[in-house]
């Protein structure tokens, strides 16, 4: 059977990109991805667009079409620095909102509006106002995994990469820390500031158990366990290192453990393994259904139609932007 010449040209054009991911994407799958990769990389030029991809995106997105990759903090920082006219956020909705807050005049696209987050769903602006009423004068530190409306009720934002630094930057004896109860408890262990938490959880990280990690350590000699601080405290107690997704990646890259278990979303291991071949990844990972709503197909459609675009009420946006910018002024 003759191969369509356009398809053959696409395959040839993106062949060098396959070299980056060939250890994590089977060659039988690549012909499905290749036409999308070729089309998206052309569309980015036509639209003067950049794709920001979170560390939990699949390798064909992360390594083959993204311009900027990283944790929530890096994506927020880099979103504020781009000259592009269009930003596509390959991640979840709160990340796209943060990019829009920092680029009110640019088009910010989220390829599937349903890409939410259980933490962002766990708290509303009215809940924050009620917390303030219960704790008058206590500042509110808000994890970026929240809606713009919740950020607008906050004094400052934080990410998993800078939470302790942000809490201590306020110079108060107490802070209200929302919405992740487990990140709050991780921060509490590292500071004298009294932390008033909320009961939000990440549906991906709360599923890991300390017993499963002990079992993996028992069956893999010399295993390093690296965990995200959204995990429950007893799970973090089993870890050799705890950090944001970028800090987890840095830990593996610099320490080169012979075997590592990343206690987080599944694509993290694939994305690091594509670059690092001397580390064995043990994978009891959990999938984030929201992150997985983003695909090459809907990135392409989003760049073609310039939809769905993120819009934020200007009054909410001004207040939420102040909380994000206050965080960015502090640094990691
Ligand atoms: P990071 O900021 O560490 O990338 O975390 C974002 C997130 O959603 C983790 O579940
Ligand atoms: Fe939200 Fe958890 Fe998914 Fe991160 S992994 S986007 S915190 S649900």
């Amino acid at each position: 059977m003759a191969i369509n010449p356009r398809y053959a040209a696409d395959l040839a054009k993106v062949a060098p990109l396959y070299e980056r991911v060939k250890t994590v994407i089977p060659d039988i799958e690549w012909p499905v991805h290749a036409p999308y990769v070729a089309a998206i990389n052309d569309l980015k030029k036509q639209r003067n667009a950049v794709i920001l991809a979170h560390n939990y995106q699949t390798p064909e997105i992360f390594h083959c079409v993204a311009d900027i990759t990283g944790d929530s903090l890096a994506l927020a920082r880099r979103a504020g620095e781009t000259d592009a006219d269009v930003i596509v956020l390959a991640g979840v909705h709160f990340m796209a909102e943060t990019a829009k807050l920092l680029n009110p005049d640019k088009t910010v696209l989220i390829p599937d509006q349903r890409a939410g987050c259980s933490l962002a769903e766990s708290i509303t602006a009215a809940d924050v106002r009620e917390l303030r009423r219960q704790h008058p004068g206590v500042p509110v530190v808000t994890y970026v995994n929240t809606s713009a409306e919740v950020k607008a009720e906050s004094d400052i934002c934080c990410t998993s990469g800078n939470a302790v630094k942000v809490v201590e930057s306020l110079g108060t004896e107490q802070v209200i820390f929302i919405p992740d109860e487990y990140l709050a408890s991780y921060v509490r262990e590292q500071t004298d500031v009294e932390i008033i938490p909320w009961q939000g959880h990440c549906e991906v990280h709360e599923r890991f158990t300390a017993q499963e990690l002990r079992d993996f350590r028992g069956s893999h000699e010399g295993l390093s366990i690296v965990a995200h601080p959204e995990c429950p405290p007893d799970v973090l107690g089993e870890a050799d290192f705890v950090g944001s997704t970028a800090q987890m990646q840095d830990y593996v890259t610099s320490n080169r453990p012979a075997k590592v278990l990343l206690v987080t979303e599944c694509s993290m291991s694939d994305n690091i393994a594509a670059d690092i071949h001397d580390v064995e990844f043990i994978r009891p990972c959990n999938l984030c259904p929201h992150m997985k709503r983003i695909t090459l197909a809907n990135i392409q459609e989003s760049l073609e139609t310039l939809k769905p675009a993120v819009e934020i009420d200007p009054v909410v946006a001004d207040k939420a932007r102040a909380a994000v910018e206050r965080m960015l002024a502090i640094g990691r």
Side-chain angles (χ1 to χ4, degrees), residues 31-71:
V32 177
H33 299 312
Y36 290 113
V37 171
I40 290 167
N41 286 328
D42 284 348
L43 279 162
K44 280 195 305 186
K45 289 187 202 125
Q46 290 165 29
R47 297 290 197 195
N48 188 25
V50 287
I51 299 181
L52 272 57
H54 185 260
N55 290 328
Y56 293 162
Q57 291 298 295
T58 50
E60 65 278 9
I61 295 174
F62 187 91
H63 285 287
C64 302
V65 299
D67 302 285
I68 294 165
T69 57
D71 63 359

Side-chain angles (χ1 to χ4, degrees), residues 22 133 175 183 202 215:
K22 66 181 182 192
R133 202 190 55 75
V175 301
L183 181 61
C202 163
D215 291 346

Side-chain angles (χ1 to χ4, degrees), residues 7 28-36 296:
Y7 178 60
I28 196 162
E29 280 180 24
W30 181 246
V32 177
H33 299 312
Y36 290 113
L296 288 174

Side-chain angles (χ1 to χ4, degrees), residues 56 92 94 116-119 145 202-205 230 288 290-291:
Y56 293 162
V92 290
F94 76 81
C117 169
S118 65
L119 281 168
N145 296 41
C202 163
E203 67 187 83
V204 178
H205 291 90
E230 289 170 6
C288 173
H290 311 289
M291 288 280 178

Side-chain angles (χ1 to χ4, degrees), residues 27 47 64 67-68 83 96 106 122 126 140 148 204 222 229 265-266 270 285 290-292 326 328:
D27 55 6
R47 297 290 197 195
C64 302
D67 302 285
I68 294 165
D83 292 331
K106 293 189 198 295
S122 74
V140 176
V204 178
E265 214 275 345
C266 300
D270 289 338
C285 59
H290 311 289
M291 288 280 178
K292 265 48 213 181
R326 197 169 172 197
L328 292 176

Side-chain angles (χ1 to χ4, degrees), residues 12 26-27 35 51 96 101 103 109 137 148 163 188 190 216 231 235 240 247 268 279 301 303 310:
D27 55 6
I51 299 181
L101 290 174
N103 293 280
L109 304 170
R188 184 182 287 129
Q190 295 168 71
F216 275 103
C231 296
V235 169
D240 301 298
Q247 291 163 344
M268 271 283 291
V279 173
E301 191 181 345
L303 276 166
V310 177

